[in-house]
Each structure stands twice: as C-alpha cells, then as structure tokens.
Amino acid sequence: MERELWFADRSERGKLRLVGEQRAWFLDQILTQSFEDMAPGDSRDSAFLTAHGRMKAYMEIVATEDALLMHFEPELRQSLPEELGRYVFATRVDIQDVTDDFGLVLVVGPGWRDAIASAAPDAVVHPTVSIGPDGGYAWVPRSAVEAAAEGLESVGARRASEQELEEMRIAHGIPRWGREMDDKTFPQEAGIDAHAVRFDKGCYLGQEAMAKIHFRGKVNRRLARLTAPGPLAQGAELKVDDVKVGSVTSAAGPNALALVRYTVAMGDEVDAGGITATVAS
C-alpha cells in the first residue's frame, strides 16, 4: 500500500483559523511547539498541556500568508476552541472555528504533492506525519471536497477506508489522540516530544513539568509496537509473569500499539489477553 497513491476524506476533523498580528506569539505561549519562525507552507505538530504536563489536546498546524490553520480529532471539536479562547485576554488574535467551512482531504504516497496540485490547485497544502508514509492534507472549501476526490482519482489515487488508514498508522507506530494520547498522557509517553515539543523556547503552559521530565527524569510508560500470530484486541491487558505491564491502545489484526511500562524492552514477549505478542519496538 505504501507504493500506492491514495486519499481519504477527513473533513470531520475540527478546524480553526487564527488571524491577527500576534497569532504565532499567542500559540507560542500555550502550546509545546514554536510558531513565530514559521514561513507560509511550514507545518508543525503540537500539544496543549495542563500545568502538570499532561495532554489536553494534540493538533496539526500549517502557516499561510495571513493565518495559522489548525486541525485536530473530532472528539476535541467541542472543548478545544473554548479552551484556547480562555487564554486570549488582550492578545491581538482572532480564533475562528472553520470546521464547517473547510474540508480536509488526506493524500499519501509517491507524488502526493503533485496529485494535490493537479486535483485541487487552490488548496492549502499541509504536510503530515500522522499516518507514517509521506503525505499531506489539502484544505479546500467544503463544497469542493468531492471535486478534489474526483480529481485525485483521475490521476490514479485510490480512495482509502479509515480501517486502511489505521492499519498503516499502527504498522508505523504513530500515536493518535484518543488512542495512545489522552488527558492522562505525558508527551514523552507517546513519543511525540521529538517532533512536537520545543525545549529551547520560552515559557508555555506545562513547560516546567516537561523540562523536569526531559532533563532530569523519565516517564513510567512508553509507546510500543506489538506483533502476534493472531488478531490482537484493543483494550487487552498486557502481562509478564501475571503482572500487568500495559494495555493495547490500537489494534489491526496481528499488529497493535500499546503503552507499556518502561521496563518492557524490544524483543520481550507479553501476554495480550491470552495471545503471546512480541514487542517490536
């Protein structure tokens, strides 16, 4: 599948548009990434934390000439816009909910940029690492989603199901909000700190907790990939010698993702609800 060009309509994701001269500065103060150095077309993933460093949200952001566009999982649509709005105060930024105005078409595979340019030449292109293989989202007006899909099919792209997307994501060990990340998760547990956290920028919400973990300590759980001879089940407890060491967070056939105790190493075998699984990473 990785050698194919494929696409999926993911317009159900929440979407915000931030405008105003302090839009990048505003996000710098509350999110884990750095935004003031972004040029149009640059994309960043980031987390929104509590003061104690646990995650409240995970989002993907792309810069345009006059705005920052943000998208996130549908289950955050009700809470995230309001949460961000609480920190505006006198900042010169306007947060606009554009969920119903824009569609998002995910395109993955060789030549994905050229495919978007052909099918939706006016789209905002938003590179993503959310599936594993190289790809990106096309931000298009909601009314233009089907035309973009038809254009992609005309250049040889295949429509992928959400199940196929999950299989690809799990095989590549990519965490997802609501599965490997929730309000109990530290970014380091999900392994997103390498690309979604900047440790060399100024203060932001949760920064002290993040710095303590990064420079002085460790987390008790980590993200792991599992493989097994048979289908694994989401939610299955993982045990070693009858002691719980984690649980399956996402599963697709014999492949799964899990949050496991830091003592569980690559190559170890664990009991996953009666199935012997191997920790692949």
Side-chain angles (χ1 to χ4, degrees), residues 34-194:
S34 180
F35 301 94
E36 292 193 276
D37 61 341
M38 291 180 75
D42 287 349
S43 63
R44 306 270 164 88
D45 289 8
S46 191
F48 186 28
L49 306 180
T50 68
H52 300 292
R54 297 188 188 273
M55 295 177 68
K56 292 199 283 188
Y58 185 78
M59 65 282 291
E60 301 182 47
I61 298 163
V62 66
T64 69
E65 290 285 353
D66 59 356
L68 291 171
L69 300 178
M70 173 188 300
H71 68 84
F72 40 87
E73 293 287 353
E75 53 262 46
L76 293 169
R77 286 173 57 174
Q78 297 300 316
S79 61
L80 184 55
E82 181 179 350
E83 288 269 9
L84 292 176
R86 290 177 183 171
Y87 294 91
V88 171
F89 304 117
T91 309
R92 292 186 292 278
V93 61
D94 183 25
I95 303 174
Q96 304 166 353
D97 191 331
V98 294
T99 299
D100 296 330
D101 301 314
F102 283 94
L104 280 175
V105 182
L106 174 66
V107 186
V108 176
W112 69 269
R113 285 184 179 273
D114 291 339
I116 291 177
S118 175
D122 297 325
V124 173
V125 178
H126 188 161
T128 185
V129 295
S130 61
I131 300 298
D134 197 24
Y137 284 95
W139 287 73
V140 297
R142 275 274 189 167
S143 59
V145 169
E146 194 51 43
E150 292 173 0
L152 288 165
E153 288 178 327
S154 73
V155 297
R158 181 175 69 81
R159 193 183 295 262
S161 68
E162 278 297 316
Q163 178 60 34
E164 289 173 311
L165 297 183
E166 279 294 274
E167 290 172 0
M168 182 71 73
R169 179 184 72 84
I170 291 167
H172 284 81
I174 307 296
R176 184 176 183 181
W177 181 263
R179 285 74 166 175
E180 292 70 44
M181 300 180 279
D182 59 23
D183 59 6
K184 297 180 180 64
T185 311
F186 292 107
Q188 289 95 334
E189 292 177 325
I192 64 166
D193 50 308

